[in-house]
Amino acid sequence: MIRVALYARYSSDQQSSASIADQQRICRERAEREGWHIAGTYEDAAISGASMILRPGIQKLVADAQAGTFDIVLAEALDRVSRDQADVATLFKHLQFARVPLVTLAEGEISELHVGLKGTMNALFLKDLAKKTHRGLRGRIESGYSAGAVGYGYRMVRRLTSEGELVRGERQIEPTEALIVERVFREFASGKSPRSIARDLNAEGIVGPAGKAWRDTSVRGDVRRGTGILNNELYVGVRVWNHKHTVKDPSTGKEVTRLNPESEWIRNAVPDLRIVSDDLWAAAKRQQEVIAERYVNVRKAAQTGALHHTRRPAYLLSGLLQCGTCGGPFGIVVSDRYGCTGHHRSHNCANVRTIRREEIERRALAGIAERLVLADKIEAAVAAYAAHINRENRERRVQADADGRALARIDKAVAGIMAAIEDGLYQPTMKARIAELERERVEVEARLAEAPPVIPDVHPGIAEIYKRKVARLTETLNDPDTRLDASSDIRSLVGRIVLHPGDKRGEVHATLHGSLMGILDFVSDNPQPDASRVITSVASGSRE
């Protein structure tokens, strides 16, 4: 008796799981009429017909055919086996090699002609279906509706039209989730990391997008692909569609996302769906740019072997503490206590003092609050430096402008002499004049080449701006949950903290050294060329 294997499949688009049972039923009826023995059934549920690579049912079918488990494969139609032209040809070759014919209820026994013609027709069907689907989705977008999933911060509106049809793609703001969206933007713009934001939301029991737990990727997403809370332009009332598409990798059968040219993107204003203000959106974008620049520096550091300098510190003062005896670093040496690594690890320093991490952090933060906020001499130093830099910049600009005019004058004079020579008006003195002009050009160009790099002008009110920013930083540092996120600002204000052993048992003196250039970076958010200048000793001192 001929042994037959039944194969059925339904895709995930418009069919239900009952489709497989229906296909198997009519195939069984055919087998009974022919007197065939059903040796096994194979199926793939909710899997697209565009690729066989990821379909376990069809893979097992091929393996059993090569093992001689059955004599015939029976399916409802060729498109139930696969709509991919290459896959149909590959399956047909495998079954031919195993001497197992493929029979369908719609086409009969499959031959090379069916593989060529039906395979082409099914492939064209897929392409045409994709175009029609895309056209329908675009029509929905142009009508002011959504053509995608319901994003976080919104909910689906279900209502009927006057004709009794269900309206698809209408959205409205979900007030509870909208508050979370605003919070995410606000905290990120203030410098909180996506990981910390996700951690705190999970700790508070707030459900994330799609009902899942929050992750850092839920917040930051991918800027180019427009994914993640921080990149969804719908939050500022702009619906963006058609910025990407998916294609199947022929070697794996998996979908791969590719970006469309920006000229093909469709943007529609939907002010009713705005959740975030333009100012808050812009602040978040600026923070993303800062982080992106930081990671560019990380890649550069990795190439030069200095990557360890770009890592986020493990503790608030990691890398800032210095031994006053040997000049080496202070690190965690035992039980959450800082000590000189030269003494505890290399045994080449006499400083045996250790200090609890919490204690030195408390003293350092108090020093920042008192000496970097209340010290009038720091404000005077910053203001004086700003006036000095701005004055030098004005002088440089005046000199550069004069040199530019001098070069233009020299070029004009040389051009005039050359024109006169071409007109036959050559005079012996012209040669000496050209040589003089060329010497003058060399001097001007050398002066321009030797000019120091231009330092950006410093805001005249930088001292007051600095005081306000440090006051806000102090508030952030008072919260243990956000303290570590402000470590980069601490490093802008504090150059190093030198720890000296005291006369008494266990006594440790700490001297706080602030960097003036770091202070300017902290205030203006623009790195200064020279970070070596240190504030005066009046602003430093011991914390007993």
Side-chain angles (χ1 to χ4, degrees), residues 236-296:
V236 285
V238 178
R239 179 181 281 122
V240 182
W241 184 76
N242 198 44
H243 64 284
K244 59 186 177 182
H245 68 280
T246 59
V247 294
K248 275 187 168 46
D249 186 338
S251 61
T252 64
K254 295 182 178 180
E255 290 189 343
V256 178
T257 301
R258 292 180 178 173
L259 295 178
N260 293 330
E262 193 166 351
S263 59
E264 297 180 6
W265 296 7
I266 297 177
R267 296 175 179 271
N268 289 329
V270 280
D272 293 342
L273 299 181
R274 173 187 284 271
I275 295 178
V276 176
S277 66
D278 288 335
D279 291 341
L280 186 54
W281 174 269
K285 294 295 114 177
R286 286 195 297 271
Q287 180 66 6
Q288 283 183 321
E289 291 174 359
V290 169
I291 294 175
E293 183 177 357
R294 186 182 306 161
Y295 276 94
V296 169

Side-chain angles (χ1 to χ4, degrees), residues 198-209:
R199 179 197 62 208
D200 292 346
L201 291 173
N202 288 329
E204 296 174 25
I206 298 175
V207 179

Side-chain angles (χ1 to χ4, degrees), residues 417 420-421 424-434:
I417 294 175
I421 293 174
L425 301 177
Y426 174 75
Q427 297 292 331
T429 56
M430 290 182 176
K431 182 177 180 180
R433 178 56 179 161
I434 289 179

Side-chain angles (χ1 to χ4, degrees), residues 85-357:
Q85 190 174 12
D87 281 350
V88 170
T90 300
L91 175 65
F92 181 76
K93 287 182 179 180
H94 281 298
L95 294 180
Q96 287 287 94
F97 179 76
R99 296 184 178 180
V100 174
L102 173 61
V103 178
T104 66
L105 302 182
E107 294 90 7
E109 184 172 348
I110 301 301
S111 64
E112 288 81 356
L113 184 62
H114 293 93
V115 172
L117 293 179
K118 293 290 292 187
T120 300
M121 292 174 61
N122 290 335
L124 292 175
F125 168 78
L126 281 179
K127 190 173 183 179
D128 184 58
L129 179 63
K131 288 183 178 179
K132 290 180 178 178
T133 302
H134 189 272
R135 185 181 67 240
L137 293 176
R138 176 166 184 172
R140 187 186 298 180
I141 290 292
E142 298 292 355
S143 300
Y145 298 110
S146 174
V150 181
Y152 189 82
Y154 303 97
R155 62 187 176 200
M156 184 183 300
V157 177
R158 294 190 176 276
R159 64 181 180 87
L160 299 178
T161 64
S162 57
E163 290 79 16
E165 296 182 358
L166 180 66
V167 176
R168 300 180 183 275
E170 189 170 358
R171 305 285 186 263
Q172 66 180 203
I173 295 175
E174 174 64 47
T176 304
E177 294 182 354
L179 293 175
I180 303 302
V181 171
E182 286 186 284
R183 169 181 168 178
V184 169
F185 272 88
R186 187 170 56 252
E187 291 182 350
F188 179 78
S190 66
K192 194 171 183 179
S193 68
R195 181 174 299 178
S196 297
I197 294 173
R199 179 197 62 208
D200 292 346
L201 291 173
N202 288 329
E204 296 174 25
I206 298 175
V207 179
K212 300 179 181 179
W214 287 91
R215 302 178 60 186
D216 62 325
T217 52
S218 308
V219 177
R220 59 181 171 84
D222 187 312
V223 176
R224 295 187 309 119
R225 299 179 187 277
T227 59
I229 297 293
L230 297 174
N231 304 307
N232 189 348
E233 293 188 51
L234 193 58
Y235 294 138
V236 285
V238 178
R239 179 181 281 122
V240 182
W241 184 76
N242 198 44
H243 64 284
K244 59 186 177 182
H245 68 280
T246 59
V247 294
K248 275 187 168 46
D249 186 338
S251 61
T252 64
K254 295 182 178 180
E255 290 189 343
V256 178
T257 301
R258 292 180 178 173
L259 295 178
N260 293 330
E262 193 166 351
S263 59
E264 297 180 6
W265 296 7
I266 297 177
R267 296 175 179 271
N268 289 329
V270 280
D272 293 342
L273 299 181
R274 173 187 284 271
I275 295 178
V276 176
S277 66
D278 288 335
D279 291 341
L280 186 54
W281 174 269
K285 294 295 114 177
R286 286 195 297 271
Q287 180 66 6
Q288 283 183 321
E289 291 174 359
V290 169
I291 294 175
E293 183 177 357
R294 186 182 306 161
Y295 276 94
V296 169
N297 295 333
V298 167
R299 288 194 292 270
K300 292 180 179 178
Q303 295 172 355
T304 60
L307 185 60
H308 61 284
H309 293 301
T310 62
R311 293 175 181 168
R312 176 174 172 167
Y315 301 107
L316 184 65
L317 303 180
S318 295
L320 294 178
L321 302 179
Q322 179 179 327
C323 177
T325 301
C326 69
F330 252 57
I332 298 295
V333 293
V334 61
S335 300
D336 208 31
R337 295 182 70 89
Y338 279 107
C340 176
T341 57
H343 172 78
H344 289 271
R345 296 173 186 171
S346 304
H347 307 289
N348 56 9
C349 179
N351 188 354
V352 300
R353 296 284 194 268
T354 62
I355 185 170
R356 288 188 303 109
R357 179 173 62 85

